[in-house]
Amino acid sequence: MSQREQTALQARLYKIIFGTDTPSGKWFDLALIFAILISVGVIIVDSLADVHRDHGELLQRIEWGFTLLFTIEYFVRIWIAQNRRAYLFSFYGIIDLLAILPSYLAILVPQTAPLLIIRLLRVLRVFRVLRLVGYLHEANQIAGVMRSSWRQIFVFFSIVITIIVVFGCLIYVLEGPNNGFENIPVSVYWAIVTVTTVGYGDVVPVTPAGRAISSMAMLVGYAIIAVPTGIFTANILEKRQRDRTPLNCPQCSRAGHEEDARYCRHCGSSLRTDSDD
Amino acid sequence: MSQREQTALQARLYKIIFGTDTPSGKWFDLALIFAILISVGVIIVDSLADVHRDHGELLQRIEWGFTLLFTIEYFVRIWIAQNRRAYLFSFYGIIDLLAILPSYLAILVPQTAPLLIIRLLRVLRVFRVLRLVGYLHEANQIAGVMRSSWRQIFVFFSIVITIIVVFGCLIYVLEGPNNGFENIPVSVYWAIVTVTTVGYGDVVPVTPAGRAISSMAMLVGYAIIAVPTGIFTANILEKRQRDRTPLNCPQCSRAGHEEDARYCRHCGSSLRTDSDD
Amino acid sequence: MSQREQTALQARLYKIIFGTDTPSGKWFDLALIFAILISVGVIIVDSLADVHRDHGELLQRIEWGFTLLFTIEYFVRIWIAQNRRAYLFSFYGIIDLLAILPSYLAILVPQTAPLLIIRLLRVLRVFRVLRLVGYLHEANQIAGVMRSSWRQIFVFFSIVITIIVVFGCLIYVLEGPNNGFENIPVSVYWAIVTVTTVGYGDVVPVTPAGRAISSMAMLVGYAIIAVPTGIFTANILEKRQRDRTPLNCPQCSRAGHEEDARYCRHCGSSLRTDSDD
Amino acid sequence: MSQREQTALQARLYKIIFGTDTPSGKWFDLALIFAILISVGVIIVDSLADVHRDHGELLQRIEWGFTLLFTIEYFVRIWIAQNRRAYLFSFYGIIDLLAILPSYLAILVPQTAPLLIIRLLRVLRVFRVLRLVGYLHEANQIAGVMRSSWRQIFVFFSIVITIIVVFGCLIYVLEGPNNGFENIPVSVYWAIVTVTTVGYGDVVPVTPAGRAISSMAMLVGYAIIAVPTGIFTANILEKRQRDRTPLNCPQCSRAGHEEDARYCRHCGSSLRTDSDD
């Protein structure tokens, strides 16, 4: 194969594998998502004791088939990538590698077989399907609001984790190892179970003082969920407001004006050319 | 009965059975809702072991009475429907059929008796009561916002289910079959119980690593509930805004008037061309 | 005591007992709340087995003291009420009666002693304290929004209860009496525990099919909490908007104009007397 | 050391210990947060039975090292504080004292050793880190909204606690001590577990009547979470609105400009008197 043919093949494969707008790109995406879901399904089915006993051999062979398929796909991706280093160290590049490594590792060290489950992370490629069905705008909106809420969510979680640690230590002192609160990590685990209102019931307070502290932890957890909800709601409303007014100033070309603005709030020039007042 | 009498009867029955604005239509709706609730009540009461032993025979006869009643109603509905095919394959048409089929099926195949419970789906006709009490506007508003939130809720659930599957597999590797996480489906079930903050406690982590992963799953589940809430709140606010501002001022062409506004709040000119005051 | 003295006494007592603005009225309210809380505290403490054994006699005597006190208060309230019938059949009038009746009933029928707990409902009078501390505005705002959300919350609960009944019946068919789902009422109880994300774990699915249905019920319950939250948030925002613009039109004296309105949206007359544009 | 040298040293230490803007102040803050986290980590690790048995001696010595370090820090803070009394009785001043007292108390009264856990409260100083990473604005925003929501949250909790007490007493009468509801405090604990949707499952209703009341408690708890969420969301939106609109246009006196607006969006005149562009 000449250099030129090779480049042409690379370009063609690039359109199929990395592209999403062409029909062939869409078909490849669909086929890939399908293959990932089946390979994950095989792992899930193989985890059932009955099925493993009866069909373990067959399923293992199918798994090896997917490993080979994904290995080929991985090397093709490296070969055709415009920036190989960028792909190798990108989020999906690392996941693609992690998805195939455990199978080969298991040949050398059989005990690492359960790591095969890492392949499951390939399921994240399924988000590609959102682009296929045209839901990318919604996904981007949610992602955008999450990104802009990041700092507030971080602060909120600092507060929540401090509350959880304090409640965990309080219950450890009040209930102690005799009532199942063996040590502080277990007590903090209990506090997380309680404040998030999950409430397994595997570790529960039995003394009146412990139950009083639990009650406070529950009420706090019940009420502060309002904080991230309020922040996220306010941020999503703000983002939509900003998205809804894409009007650019003809003078300084900055966007983000409110709906009823007549003059640019940055440079003061009129936003309306036709005299509509 | 002449053809004309028949048509007149059909028209009269149509007004009663399908109509909702006439007094007779309202009475029929009320009677139907009442009959559905009683027939469902009979099934529920019959499920109690004591009652079934003592009054099983009687309850079965009442159930047969309702089956006959609903059968008659079904055939009358077919007979009078303006578009029979449309009714037969409509949502309620299928439910009406499913509500009576199991009783007849149980004569041929006695083991299918529990399917009688499908009749319960007729309870969905109860939503008709919302129209009767004049709450249809509220129901439509909620339904409308849900429909317009559909794409975002779909994206949100894609993310949630991916998170759930990843957590389920992680816990399966960390805890394993010895601690109750028998296979991946059970582990995913545990992940759903945890992320939705239900927390039955039937399958719980016992190793420190498993508890650490659980804690993360709980905190994630606790926090991301903010996402659908924020989206739904923003959509309901947007819908109300839109409902409120359907018209532009004919003088200054600005929109944003409240539903009951008669005059433009910017320039004071009348918003209604027909003199309706 | 002459008729006139009696009337004057009634008026004075009325100011103290029903009034809230005078210092004596506030002191009476405080004393009453204090008495209610102590009488409830006595009942709670008496429910502890140890305390009942050691101090049961004493506590019973204190309870009788409160019964006599509340009986006197009840008859004074009747005596001084401007509209006796209205008080007798008002919400608080019935609670005041229910709070003292069980004690007397227990003399005749000793088995009714536990009904004494009804006295606890007097605790609702504690809301009077909100007026004392000046939090009445906040309470009224919440109550107002709840009242205006009533219809939507009703529709929401119709949907939730239908979902719960359907899930309850599904799990009854799938799991059956052998797995703890003894009858439909128990299954519906399980569905409520699941959809509201409480998750006691006293009744849990064990079959794969039952767990799949449970997972759906959990995800539904996790997601639809967004609906009442969204509705309530939208309603509170709307109410505040309306409260914030108490400006009345000088012409037709209707309120509810938006913040930046210049002309009344009902009659079109200018809302601003000074020419500020 | 002369008086002057002493004052200079005090001023230098003040900048380091209380200051946050200088590099040395930031380094001190970082070192302090690091020391607190390690000292807390030592307490947590020491609570593990295995570790305590093997390394208890060593950990105790490290704890003593931190006690001495924090004691020195405490006295230096007192020495350099501009207003000593204010620091001693400030929130952090009391926590700083409480963090070291238990260690010394344990020498005199060995049984008080578990109180060492109080040192954990020093973890609250970690919030200082928010200033370091520049997240103080977000923390202040959340704190500001919480402060302005305080009255409404208080009213909401009055209602919730009344509901909880009423449900707790109802279940006590309906289920009674034989089904685990030993006394009213336990029943109220159950009500809190239920209404906050935690649902441990350690105390659960078993009679049909008790389950019916539980179901109501769950539905109430599930729905009223909308109230604090709605209030908080409305307050955060209002606060942002207010933050955004602090100024009126000098020309047309209309408010509602965004934070970074330079020109009025209604009349186009400059909003800033000093020419800062």
Side-chain angles (χ1 to χ4, degrees):
Chain A
M1 194 154 62
S2 76
Q3 180 66 32
R4 219 174 126 207
E5 277 171 350
Q6 213 172 321
T7 312
L9 180 65
Q10 274 179 310
R12 210 157 356 112
L13 283 171
Y14 187 84
K15 263 192 194 157
I16 293 170
I17 294 177
F18 284 97
T20 50
D21 300 331
T22 56
S24 56
K26 283 184 184 174
W27 280 112
F28 176 79
D29 271 1
L30 263 185
L32 182 61
I33 288 166
F34 203 65
I36 291 169
L37 287 181
I38 288 180
S39 76
V40 168
V42 166
I43 298 173
I44 288 175
V45 164
D46 195 29
S47 80
L48 299 165
D50 291 10
V51 177
H52 184 73
R53 200 189 49 228
D54 297 349
H55 309 287
E57 290 262 317
L58 173 69
L59 292 171
Q60 209 166 1
R61 254 177 248 150
I62 298 174
E63 277 171 30
W64 265 106
F66 280 114
T67 301
L68 290 176
L69 205 75
F70 292 154
T71 308
I72 294 165
E73 186 212 335
Y74 182 63
F75 283 110
V76 170
R77 274 181 192 270
I78 293 173
W79 185 53
I80 63 171
Q82 288 169 323
N83 183 341
R84 274 169 200 169
R85 175 173 281 265
Y87 167 68
L88 278 171
F89 294 100
S90 73
F91 178 66
Y92 281 126
I94 290 164
I95 281 179
D96 288 348
L97 178 62
L98 286 175
I100 51 175
L101 260 194
S103 301
Y104 297 107
L105 199 69
I107 302 175
L108 303 172
V109 197
Q111 292 89 328
T112 60
L115 288 174
L116 192 63
I117 209 103
I118 297 170
R119 171 174 301 167
L120 189 106
L121 287 175
R122 280 217 102 188
V123 113
L124 292 175
R125 275 216 184 265
V126 164
F127 283 123
R128 203 69 175 266
V129 89
L130 294 177
R131 185 193 290 271
L132 292 179
V133 296
Y135 280 17
L136 205 68
H137 175 70
E138 277 74 16
N140 280 341
Q141 196 187 38
I142 293 175
V145 177
M146 276 185 154
R147 224 174 298 123
S148 74
S149 311
W150 163 247
R151 291 160 68 101
Q152 291 149 329
I153 299 297
F154 177 90
V155 171
F156 172 71
F157 265 108
S158 310
I159 297 168
V160 167
I161 285 166
T162 308
I163 288 172
I164 281 169
V165 171
V166 169
F167 271 117
C169 289
L170 275 174
I171 206 83
Y172 175 67
V173 173
L174 288 172
E175 293 275 340
N178 296 328
N179 297 330
F181 294 83
E182 296 160 33
N183 46 53
I184 295 183
V186 165
S187 305
V188 168
Y189 162 75
W190 165 87
I192 294 173
V193 169
T194 301
V195 168
T196 58
T197 77
V198 170
Y200 282 143
D202 52 347
V203 189
V204 288
V206 292
T207 64
R211 284 180 168 177
I213 285 294
S214 299
S215 300
M216 279 179 57
M218 288 170 214
L219 288 170
V220 166
Y222 182 63
I224 55 172
I225 185 63
V227 176
T229 308
I231 291 168
F232 190 81
T233 307
N235 285 357
I236 210 167
L237 284 170
E238 225 160 57
K239 189 178 158 53
R240 284 194 188 178
Q241 184 91 23
R242 229 175 297 122
D243 287 357
R244 209 172 20 192
T245 56
L247 187 68
N248 282 51
C249 170
Q251 202 70 23
C252 70
S253 70
R254 284 195 238 178
H257 304 288
E258 295 199 349
E259 245 175 322
D260 60 344
R262 286 181 174 183
Y263 295 92
C264 173
R265 65 191 159 93
H266 298 291
C267 68
S269 52
S270 177
L271 291 168
R272 306 186 188 185
T273 44
D274 52 319
S275 55
D276 51 2
D277 40 345
Chain B
M1 193 153 59
S2 76
Q3 180 66 31
R4 217 174 128 207
E5 279 172 347
Q6 214 172 321
T7 313
L9 180 64
Q10 274 178 311
R12 208 150 6 105
L13 283 171
Y14 187 84
K15 262 192 193 157
I16 293 171
I17 294 177
F18 284 96
T20 49
D21 300 331
T22 56
S24 56
K26 282 185 184 172
W27 280 111
F28 177 79
D29 271 1
L30 264 185
L32 181 62
I33 288 166
F34 203 66
I36 291 169
L37 288 181
I38 288 181
S39 76
V40 168
V42 167
I43 298 173
I44 288 175
V45 164
D46 195 28
S47 80
L48 300 165
D50 291 10
V51 176
H52 183 72
R53 202 189 47 227
D54 297 350
H55 309 286
E57 290 263 314
L58 173 69
L59 292 170
Q60 210 165 1
R61 255 177 248 151
I62 298 174
E63 275 171 31
W64 265 106
F66 280 113
T67 302
L68 291 175
L69 205 75
F70 292 154
T71 310
I72 293 164
E73 186 212 335
Y74 182 63
F75 284 111
V76 170
R77 275 182 192 269
I78 293 173
W79 184 53
I80 63 172
Q82 289 169 323
N83 184 341
R84 273 168 200 169
R85 175 173 281 264
Y87 168 69
L88 279 171
F89 294 100
S90 72
F91 178 65
Y92 281 125
I94 290 164
I95 280 178
D96 288 348
L97 178 62
L98 286 175
I100 51 175
L101 260 193
S103 301
Y104 297 107
L105 199 69
I107 302 174
L108 304 171
V109 197
Q111 292 89 328
T112 61
L115 288 174
L116 192 64
I117 209 106
I118 297 170
R119 171 172 302 165
L120 190 107
L121 287 175
R122 280 218 102 189
V123 113
L124 292 175
R125 275 220 183 261
V126 164
F127 283 124
R128 203 68 174 268
V129 88
L130 295 176
R131 186 193 289 270
L132 292 179
V133 296
Y135 281 17
L136 206 68
H137 175 70
E138 277 75 15
N140 281 340
Q141 196 187 36
I142 293 175
V145 177
M146 276 185 154
R147 223 172 300 123
S148 75
S149 311
W150 162 248
R151 290 160 69 100
Q152 290 149 328
I153 299 296
F154 177 89
V155 170
F156 172 70
F157 266 107
S158 311
I159 298 167
V160 167
I161 285 166
T162 309
I163 288 171
I164 281 169
V165 172
V166 168
F167 272 116
C169 290
L170 276 173
I171 206 82
Y172 174 69
V173 173
L174 289 173
E175 293 276 339
N178 296 328
N179 297 330
F181 295 83
E182 297 159 33
N183 46 52
I184 295 183
V186 166
S187 305
V188 168
Y189 162 75
W190 165 87
I192 293 173
V193 169
T194 301
V195 168
T196 59
T197 78
V198 170
Y200 281 144
D202 52 347
V203 189
V204 288
V206 292
T207 64
R211 285 180 167 176
I213 285 294
S214 298
S215 300
M216 278 178 58
M218 288 172 215
L219 288 170
V220 165
Y222 182 63
I224 56 172
I225 185 62
V227 176
T229 307
I231 291 168
F232 190 81
T233 306
N235 285 357
I236 210 167
L237 284 170
E238 225 162 57
K239 188 176 158 52
R240 286 193 186 178
Q241 185 91 24
R242 227 177 300 121
D243 286 357
R244 201 166 41 181
T245 60
L247 84 179
N248 285 52
C249 171
Q251 201 69 25
C252 70
S253 70
R254 287 196 234 175
H257 305 287
E258 296 200 347
E259 241 175 321
D260 59 345
R262 284 179 174 185
Y263 294 91
C264 173
R265 66 189 158 95
H266 297 291
C267 69
S269 51
S270 176
L271 292 167
R272 306 188 187 183
T273 45
D274 52 319
S275 54
D276 50 2
D277 40 345
Chain C
M1 195 153 61
S2 74
Q3 180 66 32
R4 220 175 125 205
E5 277 172 348
Q6 217 173 318
T7 312
L9 181 66
Q10 274 179 309
R12 209 154 0 110
L13 283 172
Y14 187 85
K15 263 191 193 156
I16 293 170
I17 294 178
F18 284 96
T20 49
D21 301 330
T22 56
S24 57
K26 283 185 184 172
W27 281 111
F28 177 79
D29 271 1
L30 263 184
L32 182 61
I33 288 166
F34 204 65
I36 291 169
L37 288 181
I38 289 179
S39 76
V40 167
V42 166
I43 298 173
I44 288 175
V45 165
D46 195 29
S47 80
L48 300 165
D50 291 10
V51 177
H52 183 72
R53 201 188 48 229
D54 296 350
H55 309 285
E57 290 264 314
L58 173 68
L59 292 170
Q60 209 166 1
R61 254 177 249 152
I62 298 174
E63 276 171 31
W64 265 106
F66 280 113
T67 301
L68 290 176
L69 205 75
F70 292 155
T71 309
I72 292 165
E73 186 212 334
Y74 183 61
F75 283 110
V76 170
R77 275 181 192 270
I78 293 174
W79 184 52
I80 62 172
Q82 288 168 324
N83 184 339
R84 274 169 201 168
R85 177 173 280 264
Y87 168 68
L88 279 172
F89 294 99
S90 72
F91 179 66
Y92 281 126
I94 289 164
I95 281 178
D96 288 347
L97 178 61
L98 287 175
I100 51 174
L101 260 194
S103 300
Y104 296 108
L105 199 68
I107 302 175
L108 303 171
V109 196
Q111 293 89 329
T112 61
L115 288 174
L116 192 64
I117 210 106
I118 297 171
R119 171 173 301 166
L120 189 106
L121 287 176
R122 279 218 102 188
V123 112
L124 292 175
R125 275 219 184 263
V126 164
F127 283 124
R128 203 69 175 266
V129 88
L130 294 176
R131 185 193 289 271
L132 293 179
V133 296
Y135 281 17
L136 205 68
H137 175 70
E138 278 74 15
N140 280 340
Q141 196 186 37
I142 293 175
V145 177
M146 276 184 156
R147 224 174 298 124
S148 74
S149 310
W150 162 247
R151 291 160 69 100
Q152 290 149 327
I153 299 297
F154 177 89
V155 170
F156 173 70
F157 265 106
S158 310
I159 298 167
V160 167
I161 285 166
T162 308
I163 289 171
I164 281 169
V165 172
V166 169
F167 271 117
C169 290
L170 276 173
I171 206 84
Y172 175 68
V173 172
L174 288 172
E175 293 275 340
N178 297 328
N179 297 330
F181 295 83
E182 296 159 33
N183 47 52
I184 296 182
V186 165
S187 306
V188 168
Y189 162 76
W190 165 87
I192 294 173
V193 170
T194 302
V195 168
T196 59
T197 77
V198 170
Y200 282 143
D202 52 347
V203 189
V204 289
V206 292
T207 64
R211 285 180 168 177
I213 285 293
S214 299
S215 300
M216 278 178 59
M218 288 172 214
L219 288 170
V220 165
Y222 182 63
I224 56 172
I225 185 63
V227 176
T229 307
I231 291 168
F232 190 82
T233 306
N235 285 358
I236 211 168
L237 283 170
E238 226 161 56
K239 189 178 158 52
R240 285 195 187 177
Q241 184 92 21
R242 231 176 297 122
D243 288 357
R244 208 169 24 191
T245 56
L247 188 68
N248 283 52
C249 171
Q251 201 70 23
C252 69
S253 70
R254 285 195 237 178
H257 304 288
E258 296 200 347
E259 244 176 322
D260 60 343
R262 286 182 175 182
Y263 295 91
C264 172
R265 66 191 159 93
H266 297 292
C267 70
S269 52
S270 176
L271 291 169
R272 306 186 188 183
T273 44
D274 52 320
S275 53
D276 51 4
D277 39 345
Chain D
M1 195 153 62
S2 76
Q3 180 66 32
R4 222 176 122 203
E5 278 171 348
Q6 214 173 322
T7 311
L9 180 66
Q10 273 180 312
R12 210 159 353 113
L13 283 171
Y14 187 85
K15 262 192 195 158
I16 293 170
I17 294 178
F18 284 96
T20 49
D21 300 330
T22 56
S24 56
K26 282 186 184 173
W27 280 112
F28 176 78
D29 271 0
L30 262 185
L32 181 61
I33 288 166
F34 203 66
I36 291 169
L37 288 181
I38 289 180
S39 76
V40 167
V42 166
I43 298 173
I44 289 175
V45 164
D46 195 29
S47 79
L48 300 165
D50 291 10
V51 177
H52 184 73
R53 201 187 49 229
D54 297 349
H55 309 286
E57 289 262 316
L58 173 69
L59 291 171
Q60 208 165 1
R61 253 177 248 151
I62 298 174
E63 275 171 32
W64 265 106
F66 279 114
T67 302
L68 290 176
L69 205 75
F70 292 155
T71 308
I72 293 165
E73 186 213 334
Y74 182 62
F75 283 111
V76 170
R77 275 182 192 268
I78 292 173
W79 184 52
I80 63 172
Q82 288 169 323
N83 183 339
R84 274 169 201 168
R85 175 174 281 263
Y87 168 67
L88 279 171
F89 294 99
S90 72
F91 178 66
Y92 281 126
I94 290 165
I95 281 178
D96 288 348
L97 178 62
L98 286 175
I100 51 175
L101 260 193
S103 299
Y104 296 109
L105 199 68
I107 302 175
L108 303 172
V109 197
Q111 292 89 328
T112 60
L115 288 175
L116 192 63
I117 209 105
I118 297 170
R119 171 174 301 167
L120 190 106
L121 287 176
R122 280 217 101 189
V123 113
L124 292 175
R125 275 217 184 264
V126 164
F127 283 123
R128 203 69 175 266
V129 88
L130 294 176
R131 185 193 289 271
L132 292 179
V133 297
Y135 281 16
L136 204 69
H137 175 71
E138 277 75 15
N140 281 340
Q141 196 186 37
I142 293 176
V145 178
M146 276 185 156
R147 223 174 298 124
S148 74
S149 311
W150 163 247
R151 290 160 67 101
Q152 291 149 326
I153 299 296
F154 177 89
V155 170
F156 172 70
F157 265 107
S158 310
I159 297 168
V160 167
I161 285 166
T162 307
I163 288 171
I164 281 169
V165 172
V166 168
F167 272 117
C169 289
L170 275 175
I171 206 83
Y172 175 68
V173 172
L174 288 173
E175 293 276 340
N178 296 327
N179 297 331
F181 295 83
E182 297 160 33
N183 47 51
I184 297 183
V186 165
S187 306
V188 169
Y189 163 75
W190 165 87
I192 293 173
V193 170
T194 301
V195 169
T196 58
T197 76
V198 170
Y200 281 142
D202 52 348
V203 190
V204 288
V206 293
T207 65
R211 284 179 168 178
I213 285 294
S214 299
S215 301
M216 279 178 57
M218 288 170 213
L219 288 170
V220 165
Y222 182 62
I224 55 172
I225 186 62
V227 175
T229 307
I231 291 168
F232 190 81
T233 307
N235 285 357
I236 210 167
L237 284 170
E238 225 161 56
K239 188 177 160 53
R240 286 191 186 181
Q241 185 90 22
R242 224 176 302 120
D243 286 358
R244 202 166 41 180
T245 60
L247 84 179
N248 285 52
C249 172
Q251 200 70 24
C252 70
S253 71
R254 288 197 233 176
H257 305 287
E258 296 198 348
E259 242 176 322
D260 58 345
R262 284 181 174 183
Y263 294 91
C264 172
R265 65 189 159 96
H266 297 292
C267 70
S269 51
S270 177
L271 291 168
R272 305 188 188 184
T273 45
D274 52 319
S275 55
D276 52 4
D277 40 345

